[in-house]
Amino acid sequence: MSKEKFQEKIDAEKKIEPKDWMPEAYRKHLIRQISQHAHSEIIGMQPEGNWISRAPSLRAKMILLAKVQDEAGHGLYLYSACETLGISRQELIQQLHEGKAKYSSIFNYPTLSWADMGAVGWLVDGAAIVNQVSLQRTSYGPYSRGMVKICKEESFHQRQGYEIMSEMANGTPEQKEMAQDALNRFWWPSIMMFGPHDGDSPRTGNAMKWKIKRQTNDELRQSFIDKTVHQAEIIGLTIPDPDLKWNEERGHYDFGEMDWDEFWDVVNGNGPCNKQRLDHHKKAHDDGKWVRKAAKAYSDKQKNLVKN
Ligand code: BYC
């Protein structure tokens, strides 16, 4: 198939499947984005896993435990989708460990109080949903189907976080203060999850042409902000942006500028927790070596039994 025919197929809204012909640049673009997404799910387990043993009730602990397990599942769907593009899980993990593959900037911030579990669920999962709902229509079949499954679970996660924030915002003055503090610290990093402005985003051009992304970084960011402002108002919390204002003409909220120096610092490995997150992942991977070895020995044995 030629590049022209491939583009015609994309333009006709047909999905590209693993065995279909695709330009090398499309394949590489997908491996980069899907693996970054998969690594984010797995690294994203760390800031929340940190609070499982300190959840304030058995109910809260069960819900958080289930959520963190869901993230592991999301990572696995995404690694599997990525492997259909002809790269092994081992190579993907190696790229993460060598700093060649990124994961979402948001997980390089610490979770300092229980209210942060609320802020992460409400804002981080909320931002992830806005992005992932859009990605359900992505042009690569396995990624698109993975997104459909993930979105169903992610909306439960967002509600879990909003419930925590709502309870704390309506609790004692100290609890309300903790909720506001968590919102203050997570607001800007959450809106940075959508990436640089469209004009500064080198990947957006091809991503939109190939319908890998269906909306641009700025469109998705605006949609998240428009949805979230009202949710903050309902529970009586204040979004830490003095420039946030409804714009009647645009039919959207105007908002302030993000600190792009901070964004690029975190993306390039110099955020508050980058080293800690990666070291933890490497250690867990090393500690799990014997499990992978045993699982492989078992599956090799089963294959031999079938053969003989
Ligand atoms: N963090 O040209 P651009 C979740 C990189 S939610 C780190 O705009 P693109 C979860 C970008 O990779 C989070 N890096 O790129 C939720 C590129 O670098 P490379 C995961 C970022 O790809 C709750 C460069 O900057 N979701 O998992 O068109 C609990 C230029 O950017 C970031 C996804 O990954 C960032 N925030 O757009 C647990 C969604 N922003 O690769 C887990 C899928 C930009 O050229 N991914 N960069 O070296 C996407 O939608 C897009 O990849 C992005 C970036 C919107 C993130």
Side-chain angles (χ1 to χ4, degrees):
M1 197 199 278
S2 64
K3 274 189 187 168
E4 289 72 27
K5 285 260 178 280
F6 172 82
Q7 191 60 47
E8 274 172 28
K9 201 169 165 186
I10 298 269
D11 294 341
E13 296 290 333
K14 293 204 177 112
K15 293 277 180 254
I16 306 299
E17 295 299 337
K19 290 188 176 159
D20 294 346
W21 184 87
M22 60 186 85
E24 191 53 17
Y26 175 83
R27 195 180 73 85
K28 285 206 172 120
H29 192 116
L30 278 171
I31 290 177
R32 180 194 62 85
Q33 177 167 327
I34 303 174
S35 69
Q36 164 170 326
H37 201 161
H39 299 323
S40 304
E41 300 283 354
I42 299 299
I43 297 279
M45 294 167 74
Q46 291 185 39
E48 292 184 294
N50 179 37
W51 280 90
I52 293 172
S53 60
R54 288 175 287 164
S57 67
L58 183 58
R59 178 180 179 272
K61 191 195 283 278
M62 281 162 57
I63 295 173
L64 185 60
L65 198 57
K67 179 180 189 293
V68 175
Q69 276 180 341
D70 284 351
E71 309 301 359
H74 297 175
L76 295 183
Y77 303 154
L78 287 161
Y79 283 129
S80 299
C82 205
E83 283 175 299
T84 65
L85 291 156
I87 187 161
S88 69
R89 182 92 52 103
Q90 207 179 338
E91 285 171 278
L92 294 170
I93 302 292
Q94 198 176 335
Q95 288 177 357
L96 172 70
H97 288 176
E98 288 172 356
K100 290 183 188 150
K102 295 184 165 75
Y103 59 87
S104 181
S105 49
I106 188 73
F107 302 116
N108 293 309
Y109 291 86
T111 44
L112 304 176
S113 80
W114 175 250
D116 288 11
M117 292 304 93
V120 168
W122 174 34
L123 302 173
V124 176
D125 286 86
I129 294 171
V130 169
N131 192 348
Q132 291 172 162
V133 163
S134 180
L135 285 171
Q136 290 181 127
R137 292 175 51 242
T138 193
S139 56
Y140 188 55
Y143 193 23
S144 163
R145 291 187 287 275
M147 283 297 108
V148 172
K149 226 165 168 258
I150 289 174
C151 280
K152 290 195 177 126
E153 293 176 352
E154 216 81 88
S155 41
F156 153 76
H157 294 174
Q158 193 269 355
R159 270 172 275 174
Q160 164 268 355
Y162 191 59
E163 183 190 80
I164 295 176
M165 286 305 254
S166 163
E167 278 179 0
M168 293 190 77
N170 290 293
T172 63
E174 289 82 1
Q175 286 172 325
K176 181 164 186 184
E177 205 178 302
M178 280 167 77
Q180 182 63 54
D181 174 59
L183 171 57
N184 292 350
R185 282 180 291 106
F186 274 92
W187 176 252
W188 291 104
S190 298
I191 63 174
M192 288 177 194
M193 285 172 70
F194 296 96
H197 283 311
D198 296 348
D200 300 322
S201 159
R203 304 287 190 178
T204 293
N206 277 341
M208 296 296 285
K209 180 177 86 180
W210 290 326
K211 298 190 195 284
I212 292 174
K213 294 208 294 205
R214 306 303 305 242
Q215 286 166 284
T216 67
N217 298 358
D218 283 329
E219 284 166 357
L220 291 168
R221 186 173 7 250
Q222 182 74 62
S223 157
F224 169 70
I225 291 172
D226 289 348
K227 271 193 180 71
T228 311
V229 173
H230 184 54
Q231 294 168 1
E233 280 166 6
I234 291 175
I235 57 175
L237 294 180
T238 308
I239 291 183
D241 178 356
D243 297 324
L244 192 70
K245 197 166 172 274
W246 178 251
N247 182 324
E248 196 63 51
E249 217 171 284
R250 291 201 309 124
H252 292 292
Y253 280 93
D254 289 337
F255 53 93
E257 199 48 83
M258 284 141 282
D259 180 344
W260 292 110
D261 290 340
E262 175 183 322
F263 172 77
W264 288 114
D265 259 359
V266 178
V267 168
N268 292 323
N270 303 315
C273 299
N274 293 60
K275 188 174 178 320
Q276 181 188 331
R277 300 289 185 239
L278 219 46
D279 285 352
H280 185 88
H281 192 281
K282 285 179 191 161
K283 183 174 182 306
H285 191 68
D286 286 347
D287 291 348
K289 203 170 180 180
W290 70 272
V291 180
R292 291 192 297 281
K293 203 170 156 195
K296 183 161 185 319
Y298 180 75
S299 89
D300 288 350
K301 195 172 169 205
Q302 295 297 102
K303 274 184 216 151
N304 277 338
L305 283 179
V306 172
K307 247 195 252 164
N308 301 326

